[in-house]
Structures are given as C-alpha cells and as structure tokens.
C-alpha cells in the first residue's frame, strides 16, 4: 500500500471577491528590506503587500494602501 504526500503542490488560491474583502494571496517571491519588512504582490489583483517582522499577516500598501 503506497502512501500519498500530505500536501502535493498545494498553493493558496483566491478570487477578486477575496481581494475586495482584504483577504489577499501573497506571492511566493518576496523581498526583505533592511528593517526586516517583507514586501510582495497579491497573486490575484497585483496590489502591493507588506508584512512586519512582528506580525504574521500581510497588509496592503502602496498608492492604494
């Protein structure tokens, strides 16, 4: 009997309705500045997201943030 992998290539997905409700899906590729703030874009709508070192939550930033 063969066992199956726990999460075979599972990726977070979202919709524009999720983005309108501020539940963005962060891209896997992100950059980190000198103060430790992580920055990336939403996979669905493309808005700029940031995450502080002390928080485990992405929030919207940039022109519309």
């Amino acid at each position: 009997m063969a066992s199956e992998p726990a999460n075979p290539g599972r990726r977070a997905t979202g919709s524009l309705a999720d983005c309108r409700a501020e539940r963005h899906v962060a891209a896997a590729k992100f950059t980190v500045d000198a103060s430790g703030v992580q920055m990336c874009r939403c996979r669905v709508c493309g808005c700029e997201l940031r995450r502080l070192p002390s928080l485990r939550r992405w929030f919207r930033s940039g022109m519309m943030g």
Side-chain angles (χ1 to χ4, degrees), residues 4-44:
E4 295 182 23
N7 289 325
R10 183 172 180 221
R11 293 181 64 170
T13 59
S15 65
L16 285 175
D18 291 331
C19 289
R20 282 188 219 108
E22 295 298 321
R23 293 187 301 265
H24 298 282
V25 180
K29 182 179 176 183
F30 59 88
T31 58
V32 181
D33 68 4
S35 60
V37 177
Q38 297 176 344
M39 296 167 279
C40 73
R41 292 202 173 263
C42 176
R43 288 182 183 173
V44 179

Side-chain angles (χ1 to χ4, degrees), residues 17 26 48:
E48 295 177 15

